[in-house]
Amino acid sequence: GDYVLLTDDMADTIERRGDNLKKMDLVGDIKVSVDLKAGGLDEVAMNIQGKEHNRFRDEAILAKKCGCLFYVLVVDETIRTIDDVALWRSKRKASQTNPVALSKAMRTMWQKYSINWIFCSKENTARAIMYLLTGVDFEQT
C-alpha cells in the first residue's frame, strides 16, 4: 500500500537494517496498509482488469498472509459502495471497462483476499487515510 502507520516493531527493523532496508524486511511488521487510488475507479480497473492484476493480487495475498488489514481507498465524488460501481461510467473516452464486471471483480477480491474497499471524496482523502490507519476521526479544520 501507499500508507502505513509506523509501529515500534517497524521502527526497530528500520533502525537495525539502516541503509540496507528492503520492503520485505517490513513484512509482518505492517498491521494496516492503505493503498490510495487517487485516479478513482479507472485506476482500480487497471489494477484488476489490466496488466497490473497479478502484482495487485499478489500484494493482497501477501497482506492477508501477514495478517495485515489491507484497505484500498478509492477517490470518487459519487461512488460510496461496491454496489454503486456497477452504475459507474468512466470519464476516459477509450475505456473498455464494464462497470458490472468491475464491481463483481472487486467483490471477489474482497471475499478471496480480504481487500477492504473504501470510497471517499477528494476533499476527505487525508481524513480517511488517518482514520483507517489510526481509528481516530480527525476533524477537518
Side-chain angles (χ1 to χ4, degrees):
D2 297 311
Y3 299 92
V4 298
L5 187 64
L6 182 65
T7 63
D8 290 339
D9 289 338
M10 289 173 62
D12 289 344
T13 301
I14 292 166
E15 184 176 328
R16 189 178 67 254
R17 296 287 291 153
D19 291 342
N20 296 318
L21 182 70
K22 296 179 179 68
K23 268 197 298 189
M24 292 306 294
D25 293 332
L26 299 174
V27 169
D29 288 345
I30 299 171
K31 304 302 179 205
V32 180
S33 178
V34 178
D35 192 4
L36 179 63
K37 300 300 176 194
L41 287 169
D42 283 311
E43 186 176 349
V44 171
M46 288 188 295
N47 285 164
I48 293 179
Q49 298 173 325
K51 295 176 184 175
E52 297 179 27
H53 175 75
N54 290 341
R55 178 199 54 80
F56 184 71
R57 181 202 59 222
D58 290 347
E59 283 181 16
I61 290 170
L62 182 60
K64 185 175 180 178
K65 282 183 178 181
C66 294
C68 174
L69 282 172
F70 185 40
Y71 293 102
V72 177
L73 182 61
V74 183
V75 177
D76 191 281
E77 299 305 315
T78 59
I79 304 298
R80 292 294 166 253
T81 69
I82 290 178
D83 292 335
D84 295 341
V85 173
L87 305 173
W88 169 77
R89 296 291 176 253
S90 174
K91 294 176 184 166
R92 292 177 45 227
K93 291 180 183 178
S95 176
Q96 299 294 314
T97 302
N98 176 328
V100 174
L102 180 60
S103 176
K104 183 178 177 185
M106 290 170 71
R107 192 173 305 283
T108 297
M109 293 193 85
W110 168 65
Q111 292 167 340
K112 288 176 83 171
Y113 310 120
S114 302
I115 292 177
N116 296 287
W117 299 99
I118 308 294
F119 304 87
C120 75
S121 66
K122 184 175 181 179
E123 176 182 313
N124 289 316
T125 302
R127 185 177 182 183
I129 291 168
M130 292 304 296
Y131 179 76
L132 294 172
L133 291 175
T134 68
V136 176
D137 188 12
F138 293 82
E139 292 198 34
Q140 293 190 321
T141 56

